[in-house]
Amino acid sequence: MANVTVIGVQWGDEGKGKIVDWLASRADIVVRFQGGHNAGHTLVVGDQVYKLSLLPSGIVRGTPSVIGNGVVLDPWALKAEVEKIAGQGVAVTPDVLRIAETCPLILSLHRDLDGLREDASGAGKIGTTRRGIGPAYEDKVGRRAIRVCDLAHLNQLEPQLDRLCAHHDALRAGFSEQPVDREALLAELREIAPFVLPYAKPVWRDLDVALRAGKKILFEGAQGVLLDVDHGTYPFVTSSNTVAGTTGSGSGIGPNAAGFVLGIVKAYTTRVGSGPFPTELDDATGQQLGERGHEFGTVTGRKRRCGWFDAVLVRQAAAISGVTGIALTKLDVLDGFDTIRICTGYTLDGKDYDYLPPHPADQARVEPVYEDFKGWSGTTAGARSWADLPARAIKYVRRIEELIRCPVALVSTSPQRDDTILVRDPFSA
Ligand code: GDP
Ligand code: IMO
Ligand code: MG
């Protein structure tokens, strides 16, 4: 099976977009299978910078792209993104993009609820992207979602609107908000339907045909394993499963189609939003990592929290997701540091831990145990082969492989598409 699944193995923003774009030249189809426009994937090709949230990152190369049923789709955000990227010369036509007819829609009432809850939570807020992701997934499993296929049946929407509005009106009343304006919602849906429907297809069937024909499928994950609703730092997580196992349920193919699971791993750690972060640095070093790594959120512009590489978390996340090999990104950001630290374990109340305990209070209190590395002189920035890397940088990469028990398949050394070292081709591994 020549497929590849790309997933984030930390708290998102590992550089998935860059790697998916790079790999897309070898793929026949790129598929998003979870998340929504909470994702922000940045691709840099020459002097062009592409910022994608919903569109699969293969779209920039014109690789046929699919938004699977596991994605929650904000049709207005999609339209804005399609228009924006058209302005950069990338045409997103129904020939190149297909959207599952069964995708649940994110509506304005979901965005409202996301914001209302966050505002009401004070210090306990999740720090969501306020895009309505969580409320939309809740309505999906609550069986009251409006889906892409409903856009072709808006005259039959009343029973669904009854269910949806009964639920949301009760929640809104709790926030002293007006009930949902059903007529306005229906009018919005009527207006957007002609834009979305040409892309709507039974994508499970296209993927089945592609698999039978031996085509190469590249699955593009969003967020990261530590934001997974089951396996992440709950409740400070997103509302979908971000692990590689979601490719099947999120796109309508079998569980064995994931192929090579390529975990994207940043050479240090970042997190946006609230929640535990054992190796976080609230000092000048953290500041330096953020500045050198340009760690500002693509979606919300928020400053990302920064810290040293946490091998405990990556080993755990890689095991949970069945990672075959990793792409190590942003190694260049560590150029010039005198000392680089790796967290190899935790202690809590005098006890050693080689994994992150599940309770948030424990997660917030674990103390990292560090191994120190002497930084390298010289630079990794822009390196395209092992031979270009300083010996101590290679030592750092090898130690990471050892600690996380996963081999490196790719190393990324700048935001540019081609500043990538290929160690082992995931498509022919
Ligand atoms: P994603 O959400 O996983 O796709 O990651 P983001 O695009 O949100 O964040 C990664 C950021 O790092 C983007 O601005 C990329 O352009 C940039 N980036 C990716 N790989 C590298 C790298 O190897 N070195 C440097 N310096 N920047 C990188
Ligand atoms: P990419 O694909 C980093 C975080 C939010 C918040 C939590 C829940 O670019 O790696 P949500 O809006 O999903 O309900 O927010 O998850 N989050 C991300 N952090 N990268 C992302 O995506 C993220 N998507 C969501 O900051 O802490
Ligand atoms: Mg991102």
Side-chain angles (χ1 to χ4, degrees):
M1 170 95 44
N3 299 335
V4 174
T5 295
V6 164
I7 53 159
V9 184
Q10 291 150 316
W11 279 293
D13 302 328
E14 300 89 350
K16 297 175 292 292
K18 166 179 166 164
I19 300 295
V20 169
D21 166 65
W22 190 82
L23 285 169
S25 68
R26 294 156 199 254
D28 297 303
I29 306 177
V30 181
V31 181
R32 276 279 306 267
F33 56 92
Q34 49 70 231
H37 66 313
N38 49 349
H41 300 168
T42 303
L43 286 54
V44 184
V45 186
D47 56 9
Q48 281 285 337
V49 179
Y50 304 93
K51 291 182 185 289
L52 304 175
S53 283
L54 259 173
L55 294 171
S57 296
I59 207 95
V60 170
R61 288 190 189 263
T63 308
S65 296
V66 166
I67 294 179
N69 58 280
V71 171
V72 280
L73 187 92
D74 180 327
W76 298 277
L78 176 74
K79 185 161 184 275
E81 194 171 320
V82 165
E83 286 168 356
K84 193 176 100 191
I85 201 157
Q88 293 185 278
V90 179
V92 182
T93 63
D95 286 337
V96 77
L97 176 70
R98 290 167 176 232
I99 300 175
E101 299 160 306
T102 46
C103 271
L105 298 182
I106 300 182
L107 308 171
S108 49
L109 51 84
H110 296 122
R111 281 189 297 274
D112 293 348
L113 187 57
D114 202 349
L116 287 167
R117 282 179 178 156
E118 285 287 279
D119 289 340
S121 300
K125 68 178 182 197
I126 306 287
T128 73
T129 59
R130 295 174 175 253
R131 298 288 197 260
I133 305 291
Y137 275 117
E138 288 170 34
D139 282 349
K140 169 183 165 171
V141 297
R143 294 162 294 193
R144 42 178 189 267
I146 294 174
R147 304 187 299 169
V148 166
C149 56
D150 292 316
L151 294 173
H153 297 272
L154 289 176
N155 292 334
Q156 293 155 267
L157 204 61
E158 289 301 324
Q160 266 161 282
L161 276 181
D162 287 344
R163 263 205 308 278
L164 185 70
C165 293
H167 180 78
H168 279 270
D169 288 348
L171 290 171
R172 292 166 75 97
F175 290 103
S176 307
E177 285 290 312
Q178 293 296 313
V180 176
D181 183 339
R182 289 173 65 136
E183 288 315 310
L185 175 58
L186 207 46
E188 281 173 12
L189 291 171
R190 283 191 203 291
E191 201 185 337
I192 200 72
F195 169 77
V196 179
L197 286 172
Y199 297 101
K201 301 276 160 45
V203 300
W204 63 270
R205 197 176 59 184
D206 293 348
L207 292 176
D208 185 48
V209 169
L211 283 172
R212 287 174 195 279
K215 301 280 190 204
K216 294 179 182 176
I217 303 181
L218 175 54
F219 294 96
E220 177 179 17
Q223 291 81 52
V225 175
L226 301 174
L227 289 169
D228 182 282
V229 68
D230 282 281
H231 299 289
T233 46
Y234 194 90
F236 303 101
V237 293
T238 192
S239 296
S240 67
N241 284 112
T242 60
V243 291
T246 313
T247 51
S249 61
S251 66
I253 42 109
N256 57 353
F260 188 107
V261 179
L262 182 68
I264 314 301
V265 175
K266 204 179 274 194
Y268 50 99
T269 313
T270 61
R271 170 163 211 173
V272 207
S274 325
F277 182 170
T279 62
E280 182 169 16
L281 294 166
D282 286 319
D283 58 8
T285 310
Q287 191 79 17
Q288 218 175 350
L289 280 171
E291 280 163 17
R292 290 192 190 172
H294 302 288
E295 296 295 355
F296 292 91
T298 316
V299 174
T300 56
R302 287 178 291 177
K303 205 170 163 184
R304 295 174 184 151
R305 301 155 63 192
C306 296
W308 293 121
F309 186 80
D310 189 335
V312 180
L313 283 183
V314 173
R315 181 171 61 230
Q316 181 168 337
I320 282 165
S321 243
V323 169
T324 321
I326 67 161
L328 188 70
T329 61
K330 306 193 89 160
L331 186 62
D332 54 293
V333 174
L334 298 179
D335 286 356
F337 278 91
D338 291 335
T339 303
I340 299 168
R341 313 189 88 183
I342 298 184
C343 168
T344 56
Y346 304 130
T347 57
L348 179 66
D349 299 329
K351 201 175 144 206
D352 292 338
Y353 280 83
D354 64 358
Y355 68 97
L356 188 70
H359 198 278
D362 290 342
Q363 293 181 346
R365 285 195 316 121
V366 292
E367 286 289 334
V369 176
Y370 286 112
E371 194 170 285
D372 283 358
F373 277 80
K374 197 167 153 37
W376 46 89
S377 49
T379 174
T380 67
R384 295 186 183 184
S385 80
W386 267 123
D388 296 336
L389 296 180
R392 282 208 292 271
I394 293 178
K395 203 173 155 203
Y396 181 71
V397 177
R398 291 298 183 214
R399 184 62 181 140
I400 286 177
E401 285 182 311
E402 205 169 68
L403 286 167
I404 67 169
R405 301 184 191 134
C406 261
V408 165
L410 299 167
V411 180
S412 168
T413 57
S414 101
Q416 285 288 346
R417 177 188 274 173
D418 293 322
D419 289 341
T420 305
I421 302 172
L422 176 63
V423 182
R424 179 180 173 208
D425 186 347
F427 273 116
S428 52

